[in-house]
Amino acid sequence: MCAHLQGQVQNLSALGRSMGTTHTAARHYLDLLEQTFVLRTPQPLERNLGKRLVKSPKMYLLDSGLLHALLDLRDFDALAGHPVFGASWEGFVVEQMLLRAQAADGWRASYYRTATGDELDLVLERSARRGRRARVVAIECKASSAPKVERGFWTSLRDLAVTEAWVVAPVREGFPLGDGAEVLPLGEALGRIG
């Protein structure tokens, strides 16, 4: 079930119903998967912005190979034609960015989503201290070599007053997207965090 819900906001009641159990049992199963490093559940941004924010965590299987095996995706062609393709890329990018942010120290990670659907896949925040400037990095993950972002991306950037906005995509070289946002390959984005 988690493989089919990759990158989605948790709905314990719906997950419990689909497994024929209760939401408390579903929560217990997810806790076990998280404690055994199979699942990661990034928390939503908690900030008073005057908007209704989604308050449930998202869920990602940490290992994209496990995700693909559970969905019986045996090669890239099968993955590219499957609805989970974008969520698979998102989960891989989010996991790599979170690992780098944890190693770099001082980063607080969350995702941002409003009740109206404005969303950022990952928000990394670091406060100013010891000669470092404060940073708010908005990251959107797109599994396309010619990524396009929706209006909600730009609205979210304004809402959060980000200092850097990146669309991480499977591209060889980065390029400007406009209004201060950039498309970056994953390696370059990781380098900017560490």
Side-chain angles (χ1 to χ4, degrees):
M1 288 305 301
C2 292
H4 289 285
L5 299 174
Q6 177 80 348
Q8 294 185 27
V9 175
Q10 278 184 15
N11 181 334
L12 295 175
S13 296
L15 185 58
R17 273 193 310 275
S18 66
M19 295 185 335
T21 188
T22 65
H23 71 282
T24 53
R27 172 76 264 160
H28 176 71
Y29 295 140
L30 292 180
D31 286 345
L32 287 173
L33 290 172
E34 196 166 10
Q35 291 165 8
T36 55
F37 304 105
V38 173
L39 188 73
R40 184 183 292 272
T41 56
Q43 299 300 307
L45 183 77
E46 293 181 11
R47 198 186 283 178
N48 186 1
L49 299 171
K51 292 187 174 204
R52 285 187 45 222
L53 301 179
V54 170
K55 295 188 169 134
S56 297
K58 281 179 130 180
M59 48 196 255
Y60 297 101
L61 290 173
L62 277 98
D63 186 327
S64 56
L66 176 62
L67 170 68
H68 301 161
L70 289 170
L71 296 173
D72 198 30
L73 302 171
R74 300 191 181 269
D75 56 31
F76 183 76
D77 289 337
L79 174 62
H82 196 278
V84 80
F85 181 55
S88 175
W89 172 255
E90 179 183 326
F92 179 73
V93 170
V94 167
E95 184 59 23
Q96 298 308 307
M97 296 301 293
L98 290 176
L99 290 172
R100 181 60 59 98
Q102 288 170 350
D105 191 33
W107 290 98
R108 191 172 52 250
S110 58
Y111 78 94
Y112 177 74
R113 185 172 182 152
T114 66
T116 58
D118 298 340
E119 181 179 16
L120 294 168
D121 295 327
L122 185 61
V123 178
L124 296 174
E125 300 174 284
R126 186 174 72 185
S127 56
R129 64 175 197 202
R130 290 182 278 175
R132 291 190 316 209
R133 63 185 170 91
R135 290 172 73 187
V136 179
V137 180
I139 300 169
E140 185 68 17
C141 308
K142 295 290 184 186
S144 168
S145 58
K148 293 180 174 43
V149 292
E150 306 293 323
R151 184 179 53 156
F153 172 79
W154 302 108
T155 303
S156 299
L157 298 184
R158 285 190 301 276
D159 290 348
L160 299 178
V162 303
T163 56
E164 299 162 72
W166 308 336
V167 176
V168 179
V171 295
R172 292 188 190 277
E173 294 182 16
F175 56 90
L177 194 59
D179 290 332
E182 301 176 77
V183 174
L184 296 177
L186 178 58
E188 187 174 340
L190 291 170
R192 292 187 184 187
I193 291 298

PDB file of all heavy atoms in Angstrom, residues 77-107:
ATOM      1  N   ASP A  77      11.858   1.328 -18.761  1.00  0.00           N
ATOM      2  CA  ASP A  77      10.688   1.523 -19.623  1.00  0.00           C
ATOM      3  C   ASP A  77       9.395   1.284 -18.852  1.00  0.00           C
ATOM      4  O   ASP A  77       8.422   2.027 -19.017  1.00  0.00           O
ATOM      5  CB  ASP A  77      10.754   0.591 -20.842  1.00  0.00           C
ATOM      6  CG  ASP A  77      11.843   1.010 -21.826  1.00  0.00           C
ATOM      7  OD1 ASP A  77      12.220   2.196 -21.815  1.00  0.00           O
ATOM      8  OD2 ASP A  77      12.307   0.142 -22.577  1.00  0.00           O
ATOM      9  N   ALA A  78       9.387   0.260 -17.997  1.00  0.00           N
ATOM     10  CA  ALA A  78       8.198  -0.011 -17.183  1.00  0.00           C
ATOM     11  C   ALA A  78       7.956   1.138 -16.207  1.00  0.00           C
ATOM     12  O   ALA A  78       6.820   1.561 -16.000  1.00  0.00           O
ATOM     13  CB  ALA A  78       8.355  -1.327 -16.432  1.00  0.00           C
ATOM     14  N   LEU A  79       9.037   1.652 -15.618  1.00  0.00           N
ATOM     15  CA  LEU A  79       8.909   2.775 -14.679  1.00  0.00           C
ATOM     16  C   LEU A  79       8.425   4.029 -15.393  1.00  0.00           C
ATOM     17  O   LEU A  79       7.516   4.712 -14.919  1.00  0.00           O
ATOM     18  CB  LEU A  79      10.248   3.045 -13.991  1.00  0.00           C
ATOM     19  CG  LEU A  79      10.317   4.281 -13.090  1.00  0.00           C
ATOM     20  CD1 LEU A  79       9.332   4.164 -11.925  1.00  0.00           C
ATOM     21  CD2 LEU A  79      11.734   4.483 -12.581  1.00  0.00           C
ATOM     22  N   ALA A  80       9.011   4.336 -16.541  1.00  0.00           N
ATOM     23  CA  ALA A  80       8.664   5.562 -17.267  1.00  0.00           C
ATOM     24  C   ALA A  80       7.199   5.590 -17.689  1.00  0.00           C
ATOM     25  O   ALA A  80       6.607   6.658 -17.800  1.00  0.00           O
ATOM     26  CB  ALA A  80       9.572   5.715 -18.488  1.00  0.00           C
ATOM     27  N   GLY A  81       6.597   4.420 -17.901  1.00  0.00           N
ATOM     28  CA  GLY A  81       5.196   4.364 -18.302  1.00  0.00           C
ATOM     29  C   GLY A  81       4.228   4.190 -17.149  1.00  0.00           C
ATOM     30  O   GLY A  81       3.027   4.069 -17.363  1.00  0.00           O
ATOM     31  N   HIS A  82       4.740   4.178 -15.927  1.00  0.00           N
ATOM     32  CA  HIS A  82       3.904   3.935 -14.748  1.00  0.00           C
ATOM     33  C   HIS A  82       3.546   5.257 -14.061  1.00  0.00           C
ATOM     34  O   HIS A  82       4.345   6.190 -14.044  1.00  0.00           O
ATOM     35  CB  HIS A  82       4.666   3.028 -13.778  1.00  0.00           C
ATOM     36  CG  HIS A  82       3.801   2.401 -12.730  1.00  0.00           C
ATOM     37  ND1 HIS A  82       3.426   3.068 -11.586  1.00  0.00           N
ATOM     38  CD2 HIS A  82       3.238   1.172 -12.661  1.00  0.00           C
ATOM     39  CE1 HIS A  82       2.680   2.272 -10.852  1.00  0.00           C
ATOM     40  NE2 HIS A  82       2.539   1.123 -11.480  1.00  0.00           N
ATOM     41  N   PRO A  83       2.342   5.355 -13.476  1.00  0.00           N
ATOM     42  CA  PRO A  83       1.947   6.590 -12.789  1.00  0.00           C
ATOM     43  C   PRO A  83       2.853   6.985 -11.610  1.00  0.00           C
ATOM     44  O   PRO A  83       2.863   8.131 -11.202  1.00  0.00           O
ATOM     45  CB  PRO A  83       0.530   6.285 -12.277  1.00  0.00           C
ATOM     46  CG  PRO A  83       0.051   5.136 -13.068  1.00  0.00           C
ATOM     47  CD  PRO A  83       1.255   4.373 -13.517  1.00  0.00           C
ATOM     48  N   VAL A  84       3.645   6.062 -11.089  1.00  0.00           N
ATOM     49  CA  VAL A  84       4.501   6.370  -9.941  1.00  0.00           C
ATOM     50  C   VAL A  84       5.833   7.008 -10.369  1.00  0.00           C
ATOM     51  O   VAL A  84       6.619   7.397  -9.516  1.00  0.00           O
ATOM     52  CB  VAL A  84       4.756   5.103  -9.078  1.00  0.00           C
ATOM     53  CG1 VAL A  84       5.843   4.229  -9.689  1.00  0.00           C
ATOM     54  CG2 VAL A  84       5.109   5.470  -7.652  1.00  0.00           C
ATOM     55  N   PHE A  85       6.068   7.166 -11.661  1.00  0.00           N
ATOM     56  CA  PHE A  85       7.356   7.669 -12.139  1.00  0.00           C
ATOM     57  C   PHE A  85       7.753   8.979 -11.461  1.00  0.00           C
ATOM     58  O   PHE A  85       8.856   9.104 -10.924  1.00  0.00           O
ATOM     59  CB  PHE A  85       7.320   7.818 -13.663  1.00  0.00           C
ATOM     60  CG  PHE A  85       8.612   8.312 -14.257  1.00  0.00           C
ATOM     61  CD1 PHE A  85       9.805   7.661 -14.007  1.00  0.00           C
ATOM     62  CD2 PHE A  85       8.625   9.419 -15.085  1.00  0.00           C
ATOM     63  CE1 PHE A  85      11.000   8.098 -14.567  1.00  0.00           C
ATOM     64  CE2 PHE A  85       9.808   9.865 -15.651  1.00  0.00           C
ATOM     65  CZ  PHE A  85      10.993   9.211 -15.386  1.00  0.00           C
ATOM     66  N   GLY A  86       6.884   9.960 -11.478  1.00  0.00           N
ATOM     67  CA  GLY A  86       7.191  11.254 -10.860  1.00  0.00           C
ATOM     68  C   GLY A  86       7.382  11.149  -9.359  1.00  0.00           C
ATOM     69  O   GLY A  86       8.290  11.764  -8.789  1.00  0.00           O
ATOM     70  N   ALA A  87       6.550  10.353  -8.699  1.00  0.00           N
ATOM     71  CA  ALA A  87       6.664  10.173  -7.253  1.00  0.00           C
ATOM     72  C   ALA A  87       7.941   9.420  -6.890  1.00  0.00           C
ATOM     73  O   ALA A  87       8.540   9.664  -5.837  1.00  0.00           O
ATOM     74  CB  ALA A  87       5.440   9.443  -6.715  1.00  0.00           C
ATOM     75  N   SER A  88       8.378   8.514  -7.758  1.00  0.00           N
ATOM     76  CA  SER A  88       9.622   7.797  -7.532  1.00  0.00           C
ATOM     77  C   SER A  88      10.801   8.768  -7.573  1.00  0.00           C
ATOM     78  O   SER A  88      11.673   8.746  -6.699  1.00  0.00           O
ATOM     79  CB  SER A  88       9.802   6.698  -8.583  1.00  0.00           C
ATOM     80  OG  SER A  88      11.059   6.078  -8.440  1.00  0.00           O
ATOM     81  N   TRP A  89      10.823   9.640  -8.581  1.00  0.00           N
ATOM     82  CA  TRP A  89      11.883  10.649  -8.679  1.00  0.00           C
ATOM     83  C   TRP A  89      11.827  11.574  -7.464  1.00  0.00           C
ATOM     84  O   TRP A  89      12.856  11.864  -6.850  1.00  0.00           O
ATOM     85  CB  TRP A  89      11.744  11.432  -9.983  1.00  0.00           C
ATOM     86  CG  TRP A  89      12.678  12.605 -10.071  1.00  0.00           C
ATOM     87  CD1 TRP A  89      12.352  13.922  -9.933  1.00  0.00           C
ATOM     88  CD2 TRP A  89      14.095  12.571 -10.299  1.00  0.00           C
ATOM     89  NE1 TRP A  89      13.466  14.708 -10.062  1.00  0.00           N
ATOM     90  CE2 TRP A  89      14.548  13.896 -10.287  1.00  0.00           C
ATOM     91  CE3 TRP A  89      15.008  11.536 -10.512  1.00  0.00           C
ATOM     92  CZ2 TRP A  89      15.890  14.239 -10.487  1.00  0.00           C
ATOM     93  CZ3 TRP A  89      16.345  11.872 -10.703  1.00  0.00           C
ATOM     94  CH2 TRP A  89      16.774  13.205 -10.687  1.00  0.00           C
ATOM     95  N   GLU A  90      10.639  12.017  -7.109  1.00  0.00           N
ATOM     96  CA  GLU A  90      10.476  12.903  -5.956  1.00  0.00           C
ATOM     97  C   GLU A  90      11.014  12.248  -4.690  1.00  0.00           C
ATOM     98  O   GLU A  90      11.762  12.869  -3.926  1.00  0.00           O
ATOM     99  CB  GLU A  90       8.993  13.260  -5.774  1.00  0.00           C
ATOM    100  CG  GLU A  90       8.712  14.156  -4.601  1.00  0.00           C
ATOM    101  CD  GLU A  90       7.230  14.424  -4.419  1.00  0.00           C
ATOM    102  OE1 GLU A  90       6.489  14.494  -5.423  1.00  0.00           O
ATOM    103  OE2 GLU A  90       6.796  14.570  -3.253  1.00  0.00           O
ATOM    104  N   GLY A  91      10.652  11.000  -4.449  1.00  0.00           N
ATOM    105  CA  GLY A  91      11.117  10.305  -3.257  1.00  0.00           C
ATOM    106  C   GLY A  91      12.629  10.163  -3.231  1.00  0.00           C
ATOM    107  O   GLY A  91      13.269  10.339  -2.192  1.00  0.00           O
ATOM    108  N   PHE A  92      13.227   9.859  -4.391  1.00  0.00           N
ATOM    109  CA  PHE A  92      14.680   9.730  -4.474  1.00  0.00           C
ATOM    110  C   PHE A  92      15.359  11.063  -4.182  1.00  0.00           C
ATOM    111  O   PHE A  92      16.299  11.140  -3.385  1.00  0.00           O
ATOM    112  CB  PHE A  92      15.075   9.210  -5.863  1.00  0.00           C
ATOM    113  CG  PHE A  92      16.555   9.065  -6.041  1.00  0.00           C
ATOM    114  CD1 PHE A  92      17.247   8.040  -5.407  1.00  0.00           C
ATOM    115  CD2 PHE A  92      17.261   9.953  -6.827  1.00  0.00           C
ATOM    116  CE1 PHE A  92      18.625   7.902  -5.560  1.00  0.00           C
ATOM    117  CE2 PHE A  92      18.636   9.821  -6.992  1.00  0.00           C
ATOM    118  CZ  PHE A  92      19.314   8.801  -6.358  1.00  0.00           C
ATOM    119  N   VAL A  93      14.880  12.126  -4.797  1.00  0.00           N
ATOM    120  CA  VAL A  93      15.469  13.462  -4.590  1.00  0.00           C
ATOM    121  C   VAL A  93      15.297  13.898  -3.144  1.00  0.00           C
ATOM    122  O   VAL A  93      16.257  14.356  -2.507  1.00  0.00           O
ATOM    123  CB  VAL A  93      14.845  14.499  -5.558  1.00  0.00           C
ATOM    124  CG1 VAL A  93      15.261  15.920  -5.180  1.00  0.00           C
ATOM    125  CG2 VAL A  93      15.228  14.182  -6.993  1.00  0.00           C
ATOM    126  N   VAL A  94      14.096  13.759  -2.598  1.00  0.00           N
ATOM    127  CA  VAL A  94      13.849  14.174  -1.216  1.00  0.00           C
ATOM    128  C   VAL A  94      14.772  13.424  -0.264  1.00  0.00           C
ATOM    129  O   VAL A  94      15.385  14.030   0.625  1.00  0.00           O
ATOM    130  CB  VAL A  94      12.358  13.981  -0.834  1.00  0.00           C
ATOM    131  CG1 VAL A  94      12.141  14.092   0.662  1.00  0.00           C
ATOM    132  CG2 VAL A  94      11.495  15.009  -1.574  1.00  0.00           C
ATOM    133  N   GLU A  95      14.912  12.125  -0.441  1.00  0.00           N
ATOM    134  CA  GLU A  95      15.779  11.343   0.446  1.00  0.00           C
ATOM    135  C   GLU A  95      17.227  11.799   0.352  1.00  0.00           C
ATOM    136  O   GLU A  95      17.903  11.968   1.371  1.00  0.00           O
ATOM    137  CB  GLU A  95      15.651   9.851   0.139  1.00  0.00           C
ATOM    138  CG  GLU A  95      16.454   8.976   1.076  1.00  0.00           C
ATOM    139  CD  GLU A  95      16.066   9.126   2.547  1.00  0.00           C
ATOM    140  OE1 GLU A  95      14.945   9.557   2.861  1.00  0.00           O
ATOM    141  OE2 GLU A  95      16.918   8.800   3.398  1.00  0.00           O
ATOM    142  N   GLN A  96      17.727  12.006  -0.860  1.00  0.00           N
ATOM    143  CA  GLN A  96      19.118  12.454  -1.021  1.00  0.00           C
ATOM    144  C   GLN A  96      19.330  13.835  -0.404  1.00  0.00           C
ATOM    145  O   GLN A  96      20.337  14.082   0.265  1.00  0.00           O
ATOM    146  CB  GLN A  96      19.513  12.465  -2.507  1.00  0.00           C
ATOM    147  CG  GLN A  96      19.467  11.107  -3.168  1.00  0.00           C
ATOM    148  CD  GLN A  96      20.252  10.054  -2.419  1.00  0.00           C
ATOM    149  OE1 GLN A  96      21.419  10.230  -2.120  1.00  0.00           O
ATOM    150  NE2 GLN A  96      19.598   8.952  -2.090  1.00  0.00           N
ATOM    151  N   MET A  97      18.374  14.732  -0.606  1.00  0.00           N
ATOM    152  CA  MET A  97      18.491  16.080  -0.044  1.00  0.00           C
ATOM    153  C   MET A  97      18.439  16.047   1.484  1.00  0.00           C
ATOM    154  O   MET A  97      19.180  16.769   2.154  1.00  0.00           O
ATOM    155  CB  MET A  97      17.383  16.993  -0.600  1.00  0.00           C
ATOM    156  CG  MET A  97      17.464  17.243  -2.098  1.00  0.00           C
ATOM    157  SD  MET A  97      18.996  18.016  -2.674  1.00  0.00           S
ATOM    158  CE  MET A  97      18.881  19.621  -1.949  1.00  0.00           C
ATOM    159  N   LEU A  98      17.566  15.207   2.042  1.00  0.00           N
ATOM    160  CA  LEU A  98      17.465  15.122   3.501  1.00  0.00           C
ATOM    161  C   LEU A  98      18.732  14.532   4.107  1.00  0.00           C
ATOM    162  O   LEU A  98      19.200  15.001   5.160  1.00  0.00           O
ATOM    163  CB  LEU A  98      16.243  14.294   3.911  1.00  0.00           C
ATOM    164  CG  LEU A  98      14.896  14.949   3.636  1.00  0.00           C
ATOM    165  CD1 LEU A  98      13.758  13.993   3.995  1.00  0.00           C
ATOM    166  CD2 LEU A  98      14.751  16.259   4.378  1.00  0.00           C
ATOM    167  N   LEU A  99      19.304  13.540   3.467  1.00  0.00           N
ATOM    168  CA  LEU A  99      20.558  12.970   3.961  1.00  0.00           C
ATOM    169  C   LEU A  99      21.669  14.016   3.942  1.00  0.00           C
ATOM    170  O   LEU A  99      22.447  14.133   4.894  1.00  0.00           O
ATOM    171  CB  LEU A  99      20.964  11.753   3.131  1.00  0.00           C
ATOM    172  CG  LEU A  99      20.078  10.513   3.318  1.00  0.00           C
ATOM    173  CD1 LEU A  99      20.453   9.439   2.298  1.00  0.00           C
ATOM    174  CD2 LEU A  99      20.184   9.969   4.736  1.00  0.00           C
ATOM    175  N   ARG A 100      21.746  14.796   2.875  1.00  0.00           N
ATOM    176  CA  ARG A 100      22.778  15.844   2.788  1.00  0.00           C
ATOM    177  C   ARG A 100      22.514  16.939   3.818  1.00  0.00           C
ATOM    178  O   ARG A 100      23.437  17.424   4.467  1.00  0.00           O
ATOM    179  CB  ARG A 100      22.805  16.422   1.379  1.00  0.00           C
ATOM    180  CG  ARG A 100      23.833  17.502   1.146  1.00  0.00           C
ATOM    181  CD  ARG A 100      25.285  17.042   1.395  1.00  0.00           C
ATOM    182  NE  ARG A 100      25.676  15.953   0.571  1.00  0.00           N
ATOM    183  CZ  ARG A 100      26.370  16.058  -0.569  1.00  0.00           C
ATOM    184  NH1 ARG A 100      26.751  17.229  -1.000  1.00  0.00           N
ATOM    185  NH2 ARG A 100      26.671  14.981  -1.256  1.00  0.00           N
ATOM    186  N   ALA A 101      21.271  17.333   3.987  1.00  0.00           N
ATOM    187  CA  ALA A 101      20.942  18.385   4.964  1.00  0.00           C
ATOM    188  C   ALA A 101      21.266  17.931   6.388  1.00  0.00           C
ATOM    189  O   ALA A 101      21.754  18.724   7.201  1.00  0.00           O
ATOM    190  CB  ALA A 101      19.472  18.774   4.839  1.00  0.00           C
ATOM    191  N   GLN A 102      21.003  16.666   6.700  1.00  0.00           N
ATOM    192  CA  GLN A 102      21.330  16.147   8.037  1.00  0.00           C
ATOM    193  C   GLN A 102      22.835  16.161   8.260  1.00  0.00           C
ATOM    194  O   GLN A 102      23.305  16.507   9.339  1.00  0.00           O
ATOM    195  CB  GLN A 102      20.788  14.726   8.213  1.00  0.00           C
ATOM    196  CG  GLN A 102      19.293  14.680   8.349  1.00  0.00           C
ATOM    197  CD  GLN A 102      18.737  13.252   8.288  1.00  0.00           C
ATOM    198  OE1 GLN A 102      19.445  12.301   7.955  1.00  0.00           O
ATOM    199  NE2 GLN A 102      17.460  13.113   8.595  1.00  0.00           N
ATOM    200  N   ALA A 103      23.606  15.801   7.250  1.00  0.00           N
ATOM    201  CA  ALA A 103      25.063  15.779   7.371  1.00  0.00           C
ATOM    202  C   ALA A 103      25.633  17.193   7.479  1.00  0.00           C
ATOM    203  O   ALA A 103      26.654  17.407   8.128  1.00  0.00           O
ATOM    204  CB  ALA A 103      25.677  15.046   6.177  1.00  0.00           C
ATOM    205  N   ALA A 104      24.975  18.159   6.842  1.00  0.00           N
ATOM    206  CA  ALA A 104      25.469  19.536   6.839  1.00  0.00           C
ATOM    207  C   ALA A 104      25.145  20.275   8.135  1.00  0.00           C
ATOM    208  O   ALA A 104      25.693  21.329   8.389  1.00  0.00           O
ATOM    209  CB  ALA A 104      24.896  20.292   5.641  1.00  0.00           C
ATOM    210  N   ASP A 105      24.242  19.764   8.943  1.00  0.00           N
ATOM    211  CA  ASP A 105      23.895  20.329  10.251  1.00  0.00           C
ATOM    212  C   ASP A 105      23.193  21.687  10.153  1.00  0.00           C
ATOM    213  O   ASP A 105      23.552  22.528   9.362  1.00  0.00           O
ATOM    214  CB  ASP A 105      25.147  20.456  11.126  1.00  0.00           C
ATOM    215  CG  ASP A 105      24.813  20.774  12.576  1.00  0.00           C
ATOM    216  OD1 ASP A 105      23.760  20.314  13.049  1.00  0.00           O
ATOM    217  OD2 ASP A 105      25.599  21.475  13.216  1.00  0.00           O
ATOM    218  N   GLY A 106      22.213  21.840  10.975  1.00  0.00           N
ATOM    219  CA  GLY A 106      21.532  23.115  11.112  1.00  0.00           C
ATOM    220  C   GLY A 106      20.325  23.316  10.220  1.00  0.00           C
ATOM    221  O   GLY A 106      19.679  24.353  10.286  1.00  0.00           O
ATOM    222  N   TRP A 107      20.004  22.355   9.371  1.00  0.00           N
ATOM    223  CA  TRP A 107      18.855  22.479   8.472  1.00  0.00           C
ATOM    224  C   TRP A 107      17.608  21.890   9.110  1.00  0.00           C
ATOM    225  O   TRP A 107      17.666  20.861   9.744  1.00  0.00           O
ATOM    226  CB  TRP A 107      19.102  21.754   7.156  1.00  0.00           C
ATOM    227  CG  TRP A 107      20.129  22.404   6.289  1.00  0.00           C
ATOM    228  CD1 TRP A 107      21.443  22.059   6.181  1.00  0.00           C
ATOM    229  CD2 TRP A 107      19.930  23.502   5.408  1.00  0.00           C
ATOM    230  NE1 TRP A 107      22.075  22.878   5.282  1.00  0.00           N
ATOM    231  CE2 TRP A 107      21.166  23.771   4.784  1.00  0.00           C
ATOM    232  CE3 TRP A 107      18.829  24.296   5.082  1.00  0.00           C
ATOM    233  CZ2 TRP A 107      21.331  24.797   3.858  1.00  0.00           C
ATOM    234  CZ3 TRP A 107      18.991  25.304   4.153  1.00  0.00           C
ATOM    235  CH2 TRP A 107      20.232  25.552   3.555  1.00  0.00           C
TER     236      TRP A 107
END
